[in-house]
Amino acid sequence: MSKQAEFAVILKMNPMFADLGADQLQRLSSLCHTQQLSSGEVLFQKGDAGDALFGVRRGQIRIETGAPDGSRLTLNFMGPGDLFGEVAVLDGQDRTADATAGEASELFVLRREDFLTFLEREPKVAVRLIELLCQRIRWQSERMEESVLQPLPVRLARRLCALAEDFGSEVHISQEQLGVFVGAARESVNRQLQTWRKDGILDLQRGRILLHNMPKLTAVARND
Amino acid sequence: MSKQAEFAVILKMNPMFADLGADQLQRLSSLCHTQQLSSGEVLFQKGDAGDALFGVRRGQIRIETGAPDGSRLTLNFMGPGDLFGEVAVLDGQDRTADATAGEASELFVLRREDFLTFLEREPKVAVRLIELLCQRIRWQSERMEESVLQPLPVRLARRLCALAEDFGSEVHISQEQLGVFVGAARESVNRQLQTWRKDGILDLQRGRILLHNMPKLTAVARND
DNA sequence: GAACTTATGTGACGCACGACACACTCCCAT
DNA sequence: ATGGGAGTGTGTCGTGCGTCACATAAGTTC
């Protein structure tokens, strides 16, 4: 498969581009470049101009933020097939977090300039994109309120399920960071994990969580 | 002032259209219609197609939702100069709430079809709009989390300040509805209002709140 | 391997806020 | 005028979760 075709597949998997026509998708993906990163290399930092959209071809990118006290907190992991910076490429605002390669990686890069030119030449796509952005706005307003109002076990289960998508059943994260993810105290996270461990849903190790019973976890996440 | 010019002023006041050029604004507002509503008349209902954007020329529109138990809860009030349905007109999704005229009203109406045609002819405006929508997405993600995590007094003060924009210092709303607005129990709302009453910040009447000290209230809202 | 550092486990306590229960008051309809 | 239904004011209680305070264990550095 050609590089472009590979990128088109990744774009297609993202809700924001999922409904674009095959021809438009093809033209869009023909604008992409690729970029190599060695392990630990910095892709961008907080405050950089948001001048590109990235897709992960191989490797892993960590989205992290520097806490005021100097410690670093990981906010997200992007693996092969993941797309990030969709919003930044459209509005050109500064990056709000840092991105570094967790391992040697290869990225697809779609530059803001190229993308905007494409949109001006394809007003139908622009209008379609506007609709998709609006849906995202709706989706956000619905989800956000709902999810913050959920009790901690639900929020925690949801986050663990999301992490399992990136890591598989062996999630590599500290309970402290998990607490930041779900907006809870580390101790509360630990207590909830302990009750789940006693139920055989998971096992705990230093810096790692082993998920044994995803069905039960997703049931908690659904909150029914 | 002509009807179109009046509408242009309203559009300009909304962040979503604030940065459009005068010429584009003029062409956009020339597409508008007007609509009269008598007091109590229904503008649209939940589930209707979102096929237009509205601006209030005079009167008041209540955005409300029917609770499962049949009671009606007011979510928002739109007064002269307010714009609503910006997102619906762009993505065409169904209305998620009802809108009825609280008093005899006159509205500016911009139909989805006309707006989309305009956008396709003006790709630069479409791209600009995309940027604005993205900023809104960012703004939403930042605000939402923050605001739900705030303690009740802060959320309540913010909502009261917002309502004061529509009502002036005599806010006409039940404590029950206020509770729904800020996601809190009616009793908790009452208790907080009582302590503020004792501090002379406001006074309470049946179905009404009289705001006496907006500076103090905004200070609470800022949470500093 | 001794001293540190980082991650984890657990108890005690406090606070904010929701849930329930009831009293009171105003307005409206018959 | 009288009964009923909103809207309001307050007390009590339970609970989820944050905070503080330590203890333990697992790495890391010399």
Side-chain angles (χ1 to χ4, degrees):
Chain A
M1 186 158 55
S2 79
K3 213 173 62 176
Q4 275 81 11
E6 215 179 302
F7 187 46
V9 169
I10 292 182
L11 287 175
K12 184 111 189 125
M13 279 166 26
N14 187 286
M16 181 164 286
F17 302 99
D19 297 339
L20 293 186
D23 52 336
Q24 292 157 341
L25 209 54
Q26 195 266 319
R27 257 171 291 161
L28 186 57
S29 54
S30 75
L31 300 172
C32 80
H33 300 237
T34 58
Q35 181 173 353
Q36 311 288 330
L37 289 174
S38 49
S39 181
E41 197 172 342
V42 174
L43 178 59
F44 57 75
Q45 290 184 302
K46 184 185 292 195
D48 288 359
D51 59 354
L53 159 75
F54 301 97
V56 181
R57 192 179 196 187
R58 61 181 181 79
Q60 185 186 64
I61 305 293
R62 293 169 180 264
I63 310 296
E64 20 179 49
T65 184
D69 63 352
S71 69
R72 303 201 59 70
L73 291 168
T74 302
L75 298 176
N76 217 343
F77 302 92
M78 313 306 306
D82 287 335
L83 212 60
F84 60 100
E86 316 98 295
V87 175
V89 79
L90 289 171
D91 72 359
Q93 297 286 302
D94 290 352
R95 304 289 179 185
T96 55
D98 308 326
T100 56
E103 50 189 84
S105 306
E106 186 176 2
L107 301 178
F108 294 109
V109 182
L110 184 57
R111 283 181 310 192
R112 171 172 162 75
E113 191 188 321
D114 296 336
F115 192 38
L116 292 187
T117 307
F118 170 78
L119 285 182
E120 286 181 18
R121 290 218 198 94
E122 302 270 354
K124 294 255 183 200
V125 175
V127 169
R128 175 74 196 130
L129 201 55
I130 286 175
E131 292 179 9
L132 292 168
L133 287 172
C134 288
Q135 281 172 21
R136 181 147 166 175
I137 287 175
R138 278 175 192 273
W139 180 86
Q140 250 185 346
S141 2
E142 286 164 18
R143 292 281 163 253
M144 281 262 190
E145 296 182 63
E146 146 190 329
S147 86
V148 185
L149 297 177
Q150 298 295 334
L152 185 143
V154 177
R155 276 146 50 206
L156 197 53
R158 285 184 185 171
R159 179 57 71 163
L160 281 175
C161 289
L163 287 168
E165 306 252 310
D166 288 314
F167 285 100
S169 65
E170 184 174 325
V171 175
H172 177 264
I173 189 177
S174 80
Q175 296 176 10
E176 170 80 40
Q177 291 193 349
L178 204 44
V180 175
F181 274 26
V182 301
R186 192 214 95 225
E187 294 91 326
S188 304
V189 169
N190 182 277
R191 275 185 261 263
Q192 182 57 51
L193 291 176
Q194 290 300 329
T195 74
W196 280 337
R197 187 177 58 74
K198 279 158 198 152
D199 294 347
I201 294 178
L202 46 73
D203 250 322
L204 298 172
Q205 291 178 9
R206 186 190 177 79
R208 255 194 296 272
I209 299 171
L210 283 4
L211 305 173
H212 294 139
N213 194 336
M214 284 306 291
K216 271 198 184 172
L217 205 57
T218 53
V220 175
R222 273 198 312 277
N223 192 22
D224 50 15
Chain B
M1 184 159 55
S2 79
K3 212 172 63 176
Q4 276 80 11
E6 214 179 303
F7 187 46
V9 170
I10 293 183
L11 286 176
K12 184 104 189 131
M13 278 166 27
N14 188 289
M16 182 163 285
F17 301 99
D19 297 338
L20 292 186
D23 52 335
Q24 293 158 340
L25 209 53
Q26 195 268 321
R27 259 171 289 162
L28 185 57
S29 55
S30 74
L31 299 172
C32 82
H33 301 237
T34 58
Q35 181 173 353
Q36 310 287 332
L37 289 174
S38 50
S39 182
E41 198 171 342
V42 174
L43 179 60
F44 57 75
Q45 290 185 302
K46 186 186 290 196
D48 288 358
D51 58 355
L53 160 75
F54 300 97
V56 182
R57 192 180 195 185
R58 58 181 183 82
Q60 184 186 65
I61 304 295
R62 292 169 181 267
I63 310 296
E64 12 177 59
T65 185
D69 63 354
S71 68
R72 303 200 57 71
L73 291 167
T74 302
L75 298 176
N76 217 342
F77 302 93
M78 313 304 308
D82 287 335
L83 212 60
F84 61 100
E86 317 99 293
V87 175
V89 77
L90 289 171
D91 72 357
Q93 297 287 302
D94 291 351
R95 303 288 179 186
T96 55
D98 309 326
T100 57
E103 50 188 86
S105 306
E106 186 176 3
L107 302 178
F108 293 110
V109 182
L110 184 57
R111 283 182 311 192
R112 171 172 163 75
E113 192 188 321
D114 296 335
F115 191 39
L116 292 188
T117 308
F118 171 78
L119 285 182
E120 286 182 18
R121 289 217 197 95
E122 302 270 355
K124 294 253 183 204
V125 175
V127 169
R128 174 76 194 129
L129 201 56
I130 286 175
E131 292 179 10
L132 292 167
L133 287 172
C134 288
Q135 281 172 21
R136 181 147 166 176
I137 287 176
R138 277 173 192 275
W139 180 85
Q140 250 184 347
S141 5
E142 285 164 19
R143 291 280 164 241
M144 282 264 186
E145 296 182 62
E146 147 190 328
S147 84
V148 185
L149 296 178
Q150 298 295 335
L152 186 142
V154 176
R155 276 145 51 207
L156 197 53
R158 286 184 185 171
R159 179 56 70 163
L160 282 174
C161 289
L163 286 169
E165 307 254 310
D166 288 314
F167 285 100
S169 65
E170 184 173 326
V171 175
H172 177 263
I173 189 177
S174 80
Q175 296 175 9
E176 170 78 40
Q177 292 193 349
L178 204 44
V180 175
F181 274 27
V182 301
R186 187 210 37 105
E187 296 91 325
S188 304
V189 170
N190 181 275
R191 275 185 259 263
Q192 182 58 50
L193 291 177
Q194 290 300 329
T195 74
W196 280 337
R197 186 179 57 74
K198 279 158 200 154
D199 294 348
I201 294 179
L202 45 75
D203 250 323
L204 298 172
Q205 292 179 9
R206 185 189 178 78
R208 256 194 296 272
I209 299 171
L210 282 5
L211 305 173
H212 293 140
N213 193 336
M214 286 305 293
K216 271 198 186 173
L217 206 57
T218 53
V220 176
R222 274 198 311 276
N223 190 22
D224 51 14

